[in-house]
Amino acid sequence: MPALPSSSTQTASNKGRFISFEGTEGVGKTTAIDNLCNQLQTAGIDHIRTREPGGSPFAECLRTILLDPMTNINDDTELLLLFAARCDHIEQVIMPALARGTWVICDRFVDSTMAYQGYGRTYGEPLVLSKIEQLTEQFIPYLPDLTLWLDLPVLEGMARAGKRSTADRFEQQATEFFTRVHEGFTALAAAHPERIYRIEATGSSEKVGARVWQAVENKFDMA
Ligand code: Z5A
């Protein structure tokens, strides 16, 4: 069972809230984040939206390398580049925003590493899961306050995403890869029910947006 650290890694406790969105390819994270940011704006809540890999200038450079289909690197190199990008993103963007009381809405975070590198790449190999846990413990000062896992059948997500013309290095993976990634998210949600909420991602984007908003209202005092 995957166990991201909880004792040495603290959740952000100041006024700014940290929300991450997760899921397999094409589940509708970008669309759901658009909706949530509109609702936060209407509610007068100061927020930023960001993403991983990326989010800071240096991390965006690493994103370009990581997503480039011509990049030929092994699994450990990929894992370390993701954490290098994340360290910079946290220091440059996430931590300053939370410190000034701004909410951070992040498209993917450390759960994606568990699901994609831990399960997608290596079938949940315990040694790899343990490496990810250790890197998280060493380098990640905050886990999100709330992680919204948009759960959609893998093929449905791929069909939504497949309407695009080009595929990046991850999107080129076979269906079996995304099935393992989905198993990873399922296991993570079971292991961390206090943080990871499953959002049913079928139905219209309006319906998904309403489910997301309800989860946010349930989790935080919005007054
Ligand atoms: N990755 C990793 O391996 N390890 C890590 O640690 C991290 C990332 C952080 C880039 O992520 C890749 O990095 C990712 C994992 C890897 N690769 N994959 N796969 P990304 O988040 O940038 O890429 P993505 O997951 O492929 O996101 P996406 O394709 O942009 O999908 P999305 O944001 O979840 O969905 P969307 O763009 O909102 O919607 C997709 C389409 O469906 C679009 O045409 C929408 O209009 C449509 N849509 C949205 N909602 C609906 C509903 N409700 N009904 C019907 N149609 C909808």
Side-chain angles (χ1 to χ4, degrees), residues 55-87:
S56 63
F58 175 72
E60 286 290 328
C61 293
L62 292 183
R63 177 187 176 94
T64 304
I65 294 167
L66 281 160
L67 267 55
D68 185 346
M70 299 300 285
T71 297
N72 185 11
I73 49 178
N74 71 19
D75 291 350
D76 281 343
T77 307
E78 177 178 273
L79 180 61
L80 292 171
L81 286 180
L82 284 161
F83 268 90
R86 183 162 296 138
C87 274

PDB file of all heavy atoms in Angstrom, residues 55-87:
ATOM      1  N   GLY A  55       5.469  25.168 -13.541  1.00  0.00           N
ATOM      2  CA  GLY A  55       4.955  26.118 -12.554  1.00  0.00           C
ATOM      3  C   GLY A  55       5.902  27.255 -12.221  1.00  0.00           C
ATOM      4  O   GLY A  55       5.463  28.319 -11.811  1.00  0.00           O
ATOM      5  N   SER A  56       7.220  27.031 -12.363  1.00  0.00           N
ATOM      6  CA  SER A  56       8.221  28.104 -12.184  1.00  0.00           C
ATOM      7  C   SER A  56       9.051  28.099 -13.474  1.00  0.00           C
ATOM      8  O   SER A  56       9.047  27.106 -14.203  1.00  0.00           O
ATOM      9  CB  SER A  56       9.124  27.805 -10.982  1.00  0.00           C
ATOM     10  OG  SER A  56       9.849  26.613 -11.203  1.00  0.00           O
ATOM     11  N   PRO A  57       9.782  29.186 -13.755  1.00  0.00           N
ATOM     12  CA  PRO A  57      10.537  29.213 -15.015  1.00  0.00           C
ATOM     13  C   PRO A  57      11.475  28.006 -15.182  1.00  0.00           C
ATOM     14  O   PRO A  57      11.498  27.365 -16.232  1.00  0.00           O
ATOM     15  CB  PRO A  57      11.310  30.539 -14.928  1.00  0.00           C
ATOM     16  CG  PRO A  57      10.428  31.414 -14.084  1.00  0.00           C
ATOM     17  CD  PRO A  57       9.806  30.497 -13.059  1.00  0.00           C
ATOM     18  N   PHE A  58      12.219  27.676 -14.112  1.00  0.00           N
ATOM     19  CA  PHE A  58      13.150  26.546 -14.236  1.00  0.00           C
ATOM     20  C   PHE A  58      12.385  25.227 -14.421  1.00  0.00           C
ATOM     21  O   PHE A  58      12.725  24.385 -15.261  1.00  0.00           O
ATOM     22  CB  PHE A  58      14.041  26.472 -12.987  1.00  0.00           C
ATOM     23  CG  PHE A  58      14.948  25.275 -12.967  1.00  0.00           C
ATOM     24  CD1 PHE A  58      16.042  25.201 -13.813  1.00  0.00           C
ATOM     25  CD2 PHE A  58      14.705  24.207 -12.110  1.00  0.00           C
ATOM     26  CE1 PHE A  58      16.877  24.095 -13.813  1.00  0.00           C
ATOM     27  CE2 PHE A  58      15.539  23.094 -12.099  1.00  0.00           C
ATOM     28  CZ  PHE A  58      16.624  23.043 -12.952  1.00  0.00           C
ATOM     29  N   ALA A  59      11.318  25.059 -13.636  1.00  0.00           N
ATOM     30  CA  ALA A  59      10.555  23.804 -13.732  1.00  0.00           C
ATOM     31  C   ALA A  59       9.865  23.678 -15.093  1.00  0.00           C
ATOM     32  O   ALA A  59       9.688  22.564 -15.599  1.00  0.00           O
ATOM     33  CB  ALA A  59       9.534  23.731 -12.593  1.00  0.00           C
ATOM     34  N   GLU A  60       9.488  24.806 -15.690  1.00  0.00           N
ATOM     35  CA  GLU A  60       8.888  24.741 -17.029  1.00  0.00           C
ATOM     36  C   GLU A  60       9.918  24.257 -18.061  1.00  0.00           C
ATOM     37  O   GLU A  60       9.566  23.563 -19.007  1.00  0.00           O
ATOM     38  CB  GLU A  60       8.298  26.101 -17.430  1.00  0.00           C
ATOM     39  CG  GLU A  60       6.994  26.449 -16.701  1.00  0.00           C
ATOM     40  CD  GLU A  60       5.795  25.594 -17.118  1.00  0.00           C
ATOM     41  OE1 GLU A  60       5.709  25.173 -18.283  1.00  0.00           O
ATOM     42  OE2 GLU A  60       4.940  25.322 -16.245  1.00  0.00           O
ATOM     43  N   CYS A  61      11.205  24.631 -17.854  1.00  0.00           N
ATOM     44  CA  CYS A  61      12.253  24.112 -18.757  1.00  0.00           C
ATOM     45  C   CYS A  61      12.338  22.588 -18.635  1.00  0.00           C
ATOM     46  O   CYS A  61      12.436  21.866 -19.626  1.00  0.00           O
ATOM     47  CB  CYS A  61      13.618  24.711 -18.411  1.00  0.00           C
ATOM     48  SG  CYS A  61      13.743  26.448 -18.732  1.00  0.00           S
ATOM     49  N   LEU A  62      12.293  22.119 -17.386  1.00  0.00           N
ATOM     50  CA  LEU A  62      12.350  20.662 -17.183  1.00  0.00           C
ATOM     51  C   LEU A  62      11.104  19.990 -17.759  1.00  0.00           C
ATOM     52  O   LEU A  62      11.170  18.880 -18.285  1.00  0.00           O
ATOM     53  CB  LEU A  62      12.510  20.338 -15.694  1.00  0.00           C
ATOM     54  CG  LEU A  62      13.854  20.747 -15.073  1.00  0.00           C
ATOM     55  CD1 LEU A  62      13.917  20.312 -13.613  1.00  0.00           C
ATOM     56  CD2 LEU A  62      15.020  20.122 -15.843  1.00  0.00           C
ATOM     57  N   ARG A  63       9.946  20.663 -17.673  1.00  0.00           N
ATOM     58  CA  ARG A  63       8.718  20.093 -18.254  1.00  0.00           C
ATOM     59  C   ARG A  63       8.902  19.847 -19.757  1.00  0.00           C
ATOM     60  O   ARG A  63       8.515  18.786 -20.271  1.00  0.00           O
ATOM     61  CB  ARG A  63       7.543  21.054 -18.022  1.00  0.00           C
ATOM     62  CG  ARG A  63       6.244  20.565 -18.649  1.00  0.00           C
ATOM     63  CD  ARG A  63       5.118  21.597 -18.560  1.00  0.00           C
ATOM     64  NE  ARG A  63       3.926  21.125 -19.245  1.00  0.00           N
ATOM     65  CZ  ARG A  63       2.926  20.482 -18.661  1.00  0.00           C
ATOM     66  NH1 ARG A  63       2.947  20.257 -17.366  1.00  0.00           N
ATOM     67  NH2 ARG A  63       1.903  20.057 -19.370  1.00  0.00           N
ATOM     68  N   THR A  64       9.507  20.838 -20.420  1.00  0.00           N
ATOM     69  CA  THR A  64       9.706  20.699 -21.868  1.00  0.00           C
ATOM     70  C   THR A  64      10.522  19.447 -22.164  1.00  0.00           C
ATOM     71  O   THR A  64      10.193  18.664 -23.056  1.00  0.00           O
ATOM     72  CB  THR A  64      10.417  21.965 -22.417  1.00  0.00           C
ATOM     73  OG1 THR A  64       9.631  23.095 -22.060  1.00  0.00           O
ATOM     74  CG2 THR A  64      10.577  21.909 -23.922  1.00  0.00           C
ATOM     75  N   ILE A  65      11.575  19.243 -21.369  1.00  0.00           N
ATOM     76  CA  ILE A  65      12.429  18.064 -21.573  1.00  0.00           C
ATOM     77  C   ILE A  65      11.656  16.785 -21.256  1.00  0.00           C
ATOM     78  O   ILE A  65      11.678  15.815 -22.012  1.00  0.00           O
ATOM     79  CB  ILE A  65      13.685  18.158 -20.665  1.00  0.00           C
ATOM     80  CG1 ILE A  65      14.554  19.332 -21.105  1.00  0.00           C
ATOM     81  CG2 ILE A  65      14.467  16.853 -20.670  1.00  0.00           C
ATOM     82  CD1 ILE A  65      15.650  19.714 -20.114  1.00  0.00           C
ATOM     83  N   LEU A  66      10.931  16.799 -20.147  1.00  0.00           N
ATOM     84  CA  LEU A  66      10.226  15.580 -19.701  1.00  0.00           C
ATOM     85  C   LEU A  66       9.131  15.157 -20.677  1.00  0.00           C
ATOM     86  O   LEU A  66       8.848  13.974 -20.830  1.00  0.00           O
ATOM     87  CB  LEU A  66       9.620  15.821 -18.311  1.00  0.00           C
ATOM     88  CG  LEU A  66      10.600  15.717 -17.143  1.00  0.00           C
ATOM     89  CD1 LEU A  66      10.059  16.439 -15.906  1.00  0.00           C
ATOM     90  CD2 LEU A  66      10.881  14.250 -16.811  1.00  0.00           C
ATOM     91  N   LEU A  67       8.488  16.128 -21.314  1.00  0.00           N
ATOM     92  CA  LEU A  67       7.353  15.790 -22.193  1.00  0.00           C
ATOM     93  C   LEU A  67       7.774  15.572 -23.646  1.00  0.00           C
ATOM     94  O   LEU A  67       6.985  15.062 -24.447  1.00  0.00           O
ATOM     95  CB  LEU A  67       6.283  16.894 -22.126  1.00  0.00           C
ATOM     96  CG  LEU A  67       5.174  16.659 -21.103  1.00  0.00           C
ATOM     97  CD1 LEU A  67       5.690  16.430 -19.702  1.00  0.00           C
ATOM     98  CD2 LEU A  67       4.174  17.816 -21.099  1.00  0.00           C
ATOM     99  N   ASP A  68       9.018  15.936 -23.965  1.00  0.00           N
ATOM    100  CA  ASP A  68       9.478  15.832 -25.355  1.00  0.00           C
ATOM    101  C   ASP A  68       9.601  14.354 -25.753  1.00  0.00           C
ATOM    102  O   ASP A  68      10.367  13.608 -25.132  1.00  0.00           O
ATOM    103  CB  ASP A  68      10.846  16.531 -25.472  1.00  0.00           C
ATOM    104  CG  ASP A  68      11.347  16.567 -26.908  1.00  0.00           C
ATOM    105  OD1 ASP A  68      10.803  15.851 -27.766  1.00  0.00           O
ATOM    106  OD2 ASP A  68      12.308  17.322 -27.156  1.00  0.00           O
ATOM    107  N   PRO A  69       8.889  13.916 -26.790  1.00  0.00           N
ATOM    108  CA  PRO A  69       8.973  12.507 -27.204  1.00  0.00           C
ATOM    109  C   PRO A  69      10.385  12.090 -27.612  1.00  0.00           C
ATOM    110  O   PRO A  69      10.700  10.904 -27.611  1.00  0.00           O
ATOM    111  CB  PRO A  69       8.027  12.424 -28.407  1.00  0.00           C
ATOM    112  CG  PRO A  69       7.162  13.631 -28.332  1.00  0.00           C
ATOM    113  CD  PRO A  69       7.942  14.686 -27.608  1.00  0.00           C
ATOM    114  N   MET A  70      11.262  13.075 -27.931  1.00  0.00           N
ATOM    115  CA  MET A  70      12.634  12.733 -28.334  1.00  0.00           C
ATOM    116  C   MET A  70      13.553  12.508 -27.126  1.00  0.00           C
ATOM    117  O   MET A  70      14.673  12.038 -27.276  1.00  0.00           O
ATOM    118  CB  MET A  70      13.240  13.875 -29.180  1.00  0.00           C
ATOM    119  CG  MET A  70      12.491  14.164 -30.454  1.00  0.00           C
ATOM    120  SD  MET A  70      12.455  12.726 -31.523  1.00  0.00           S
ATOM    121  CE  MET A  70      14.132  12.748 -32.129  1.00  0.00           C
ATOM    122  N   THR A  71      13.084  12.859 -25.924  1.00  0.00           N
ATOM    123  CA  THR A  71      13.912  12.684 -24.720  1.00  0.00           C
ATOM    124  C   THR A  71      14.033  11.197 -24.394  1.00  0.00           C
ATOM    125  O   THR A  71      13.028  10.497 -24.273  1.00  0.00           O
ATOM    126  CB  THR A  71      13.286  13.427 -23.522  1.00  0.00           C
ATOM    127  OG1 THR A  71      13.271  14.819 -23.808  1.00  0.00           O
ATOM    128  CG2 THR A  71      14.067  13.191 -22.238  1.00  0.00           C
ATOM    129  N   ASN A  72      15.286  10.743 -24.251  1.00  0.00           N
ATOM    130  CA  ASN A  72      15.532   9.324 -23.987  1.00  0.00           C
ATOM    131  C   ASN A  72      16.270   9.194 -22.657  1.00  0.00           C
ATOM    132  O   ASN A  72      17.486   9.346 -22.603  1.00  0.00           O
ATOM    133  CB  ASN A  72      16.364   8.749 -25.143  1.00  0.00           C
ATOM    134  CG  ASN A  72      16.567   7.255 -24.995  1.00  0.00           C
ATOM    135  OD1 ASN A  72      15.924   6.620 -24.159  1.00  0.00           O
ATOM    136  ND2 ASN A  72      17.467   6.697 -25.783  1.00  0.00           N
ATOM    137  N   ILE A  73      15.527   8.984 -21.577  1.00  0.00           N
ATOM    138  CA  ILE A  73      16.132   8.913 -20.235  1.00  0.00           C
ATOM    139  C   ILE A  73      15.581   7.680 -19.511  1.00  0.00           C
ATOM    140  O   ILE A  73      14.488   7.201 -19.848  1.00  0.00           O
ATOM    141  CB  ILE A  73      15.822  10.182 -19.395  1.00  0.00           C
ATOM    142  CG1 ILE A  73      14.318  10.521 -19.425  1.00  0.00           C
ATOM    143  CG2 ILE A  73      16.651  11.363 -19.867  1.00  0.00           C
ATOM    144  CD1 ILE A  73      13.940  11.724 -18.577  1.00  0.00           C
ATOM    145  N   ASN A  74      16.315   7.203 -18.511  1.00  0.00           N
ATOM    146  CA  ASN A  74      15.815   6.040 -17.782  1.00  0.00           C
ATOM    147  C   ASN A  74      14.865   6.483 -16.647  1.00  0.00           C
ATOM    148  O   ASN A  74      14.682   7.676 -16.396  1.00  0.00           O
ATOM    149  CB  ASN A  74      16.962   5.137 -17.290  1.00  0.00           C
ATOM    150  CG  ASN A  74      17.745   5.760 -16.153  1.00  0.00           C
ATOM    151  OD1 ASN A  74      17.277   6.685 -15.473  1.00  0.00           O
ATOM    152  ND2 ASN A  74      18.951   5.264 -15.925  1.00  0.00           N
ATOM    153  N   ASP A  75      14.261   5.508 -15.993  1.00  0.00           N
ATOM    154  CA  ASP A  75      13.216   5.813 -15.010  1.00  0.00           C
ATOM    155  C   ASP A  75      13.738   6.633 -13.836  1.00  0.00           C
ATOM    156  O   ASP A  75      13.051   7.521 -13.335  1.00  0.00           O
ATOM    157  CB  ASP A  75      12.589   4.506 -14.488  1.00  0.00           C
ATOM    158  CG  ASP A  75      11.777   3.794 -15.569  1.00  0.00           C
ATOM    159  OD1 ASP A  75      11.547   4.399 -16.633  1.00  0.00           O
ATOM    160  OD2 ASP A  75      11.383   2.628 -15.337  1.00  0.00           O
ATOM    161  N   ASP A  76      14.976   6.333 -13.382  1.00  0.00           N
ATOM    162  CA  ASP A  76      15.524   7.092 -12.247  1.00  0.00           C
ATOM    163  C   ASP A  76      15.765   8.549 -12.639  1.00  0.00           C
ATOM    164  O   ASP A  76      15.497   9.462 -11.854  1.00  0.00           O
ATOM    165  CB  ASP A  76      16.848   6.472 -11.764  1.00  0.00           C
ATOM    166  CG  ASP A  76      16.602   5.253 -10.889  1.00  0.00           C
ATOM    167  OD1 ASP A  76      15.464   5.084 -10.405  1.00  0.00           O
ATOM    168  OD2 ASP A  76      17.559   4.477 -10.691  1.00  0.00           O
ATOM    169  N   THR A  77      16.278   8.758 -13.841  1.00  0.00           N
ATOM    170  CA  THR A  77      16.540  10.135 -14.296  1.00  0.00           C
ATOM    171  C   THR A  77      15.220  10.894 -14.372  1.00  0.00           C
ATOM    172  O   THR A  77      15.129  12.048 -13.927  1.00  0.00           O
ATOM    173  CB  THR A  77      17.244  10.118 -15.671  1.00  0.00           C
ATOM    174  OG1 THR A  77      18.386   9.281 -15.590  1.00  0.00           O
ATOM    175  CG2 THR A  77      17.654  11.521 -16.096  1.00  0.00           C
ATOM    176  N   GLU A  78      14.197  10.248 -14.910  1.00  0.00           N
ATOM    177  CA  GLU A  78      12.873  10.887 -14.997  1.00  0.00           C
ATOM    178  C   GLU A  78      12.377  11.266 -13.593  1.00  0.00           C
ATOM    179  O   GLU A  78      11.903  12.395 -13.366  1.00  0.00           O
ATOM    180  CB  GLU A  78      11.890   9.918 -15.663  1.00  0.00           C
ATOM    181  CG  GLU A  78      10.476  10.459 -15.731  1.00  0.00           C
ATOM    182  CD  GLU A  78       9.558   9.489 -16.449  1.00  0.00           C
ATOM    183  OE1 GLU A  78       9.481   9.553 -17.686  1.00  0.00           O
ATOM    184  OE2 GLU A  78       8.908   8.656 -15.767  1.00  0.00           O
ATOM    185  N   LEU A  79      12.531  10.333 -12.660  1.00  0.00           N
ATOM    186  CA  LEU A  79      12.053  10.582 -11.297  1.00  0.00           C
ATOM    187  C   LEU A  79      12.796  11.774 -10.667  1.00  0.00           C
ATOM    188  O   LEU A  79      12.170  12.662 -10.070  1.00  0.00           O
ATOM    189  CB  LEU A  79      12.277   9.316 -10.458  1.00  0.00           C
ATOM    190  CG  LEU A  79      11.844   9.364  -9.002  1.00  0.00           C
ATOM    191  CD1 LEU A  79      10.348   9.615  -8.895  1.00  0.00           C
ATOM    192  CD2 LEU A  79      12.207   8.047  -8.297  1.00  0.00           C
ATOM    193  N   LEU A  80      14.108  11.803 -10.839  1.00  0.00           N
ATOM    194  CA  LEU A  80      14.889  12.889 -10.223  1.00  0.00           C
ATOM    195  C   LEU A  80      14.593  14.233 -10.882  1.00  0.00           C
ATOM    196  O   LEU A  80      14.545  15.266 -10.207  1.00  0.00           O
ATOM    197  CB  LEU A  80      16.380  12.552 -10.279  1.00  0.00           C
ATOM    198  CG  LEU A  80      16.772  11.370  -9.380  1.00  0.00           C
ATOM    199  CD1 LEU A  80      18.205  10.934  -9.628  1.00  0.00           C
ATOM    200  CD2 LEU A  80      16.564  11.710  -7.900  1.00  0.00           C
ATOM    201  N   LEU A  81      14.381  14.243 -12.185  1.00  0.00           N
ATOM    202  CA  LEU A  81      14.023  15.506 -12.859  1.00  0.00           C
ATOM    203  C   LEU A  81      12.674  16.016 -12.348  1.00  0.00           C
ATOM    204  O   LEU A  81      12.486  17.219 -12.150  1.00  0.00           O
ATOM    205  CB  LEU A  81      13.967  15.308 -14.378  1.00  0.00           C
ATOM    206  CG  LEU A  81      15.312  15.177 -15.089  1.00  0.00           C
ATOM    207  CD1 LEU A  81      15.094  14.985 -16.600  1.00  0.00           C
ATOM    208  CD2 LEU A  81      16.193  16.397 -14.853  1.00  0.00           C
ATOM    209  N   LEU A  82      11.725  15.103 -12.133  1.00  0.00           N
ATOM    210  CA  LEU A  82      10.414  15.521 -11.605  1.00  0.00           C
ATOM    211  C   LEU A  82      10.564  16.150 -10.224  1.00  0.00           C
ATOM    212  O   LEU A  82       9.940  17.164  -9.911  1.00  0.00           O
ATOM    213  CB  LEU A  82       9.459  14.325 -11.548  1.00  0.00           C
ATOM    214  CG  LEU A  82       8.882  13.895 -12.904  1.00  0.00           C
ATOM    215  CD1 LEU A  82       8.342  12.473 -12.850  1.00  0.00           C
ATOM    216  CD2 LEU A  82       7.786  14.862 -13.350  1.00  0.00           C
ATOM    217  N   PHE A  83      11.419  15.545  -9.387  1.00  0.00           N
ATOM    218  CA  PHE A  83      11.605  16.111  -8.050  1.00  0.00           C
ATOM    219  C   PHE A  83      12.408  17.415  -8.089  1.00  0.00           C
ATOM    220  O   PHE A  83      12.152  18.325  -7.298  1.00  0.00           O
ATOM    221  CB  PHE A  83      12.222  15.077  -7.093  1.00  0.00           C
ATOM    222  CG  PHE A  83      11.160  14.307  -6.367  1.00  0.00           C
ATOM    223  CD1 PHE A  83      10.647  13.141  -6.887  1.00  0.00           C
ATOM    224  CD2 PHE A  83      10.626  14.774  -5.177  1.00  0.00           C
ATOM    225  CE1 PHE A  83       9.630  12.445  -6.248  1.00  0.00           C
ATOM    226  CE2 PHE A  83       9.605  14.095  -4.524  1.00  0.00           C
ATOM    227  CZ  PHE A  83       9.102  12.922  -5.061  1.00  0.00           C
ATOM    228  N   ALA A  84      13.372  17.525  -9.025  1.00  0.00           N
ATOM    229  CA  ALA A  84      14.106  18.795  -9.164  1.00  0.00           C
ATOM    230  C   ALA A  84      13.132  19.909  -9.551  1.00  0.00           C
ATOM    231  O   ALA A  84      13.154  21.007  -8.987  1.00  0.00           O
ATOM    232  CB  ALA A  84      15.201  18.647 -10.215  1.00  0.00           C
ATOM    233  N   ALA A  85      12.252  19.609 -10.493  1.00  0.00           N
ATOM    234  CA  ALA A  85      11.249  20.598 -10.916  1.00  0.00           C
ATOM    235  C   ALA A  85      10.350  20.965  -9.738  1.00  0.00           C
ATOM    236  O   ALA A  85      10.037  22.135  -9.499  1.00  0.00           O
ATOM    237  CB  ALA A  85      10.424  20.029 -12.072  1.00  0.00           C
ATOM    238  N   ARG A  86       9.951  19.958  -8.979  1.00  0.00           N
ATOM    239  CA  ARG A  86       9.022  20.180  -7.847  1.00  0.00           C
ATOM    240  C   ARG A  86       9.684  21.034  -6.759  1.00  0.00           C
ATOM    241  O   ARG A  86       9.046  21.926  -6.194  1.00  0.00           O
ATOM    242  CB  ARG A  86       8.584  18.819  -7.301  1.00  0.00           C
ATOM    243  CG  ARG A  86       7.570  18.883  -6.180  1.00  0.00           C
ATOM    244  CD  ARG A  86       6.878  17.535  -6.005  1.00  0.00           C
ATOM    245  NE  ARG A  86       6.117  17.194  -7.191  1.00  0.00           N
ATOM    246  CZ  ARG A  86       6.069  15.971  -7.735  1.00  0.00           C
ATOM    247  NH1 ARG A  86       6.719  14.968  -7.185  1.00  0.00           N
ATOM    248  NH2 ARG A  86       5.373  15.759  -8.827  1.00  0.00           N
ATOM    249  N   CYS A  87      10.950  20.766  -6.448  1.00  0.00           N
ATOM    250  CA  CYS A  87      11.653  21.555  -5.422  1.00  0.00           C
ATOM    251  C   CYS A  87      11.635  23.025  -5.799  1.00  0.00           C
ATOM    252  O   CYS A  87      11.371  23.896  -4.954  1.00  0.00           O
ATOM    253  CB  CYS A  87      13.116  21.121  -5.333  1.00  0.00           C
ATOM    254  SG  CYS A  87      13.363  19.759  -4.258  1.00  0.00           S
TER     255      CYS A  87
END
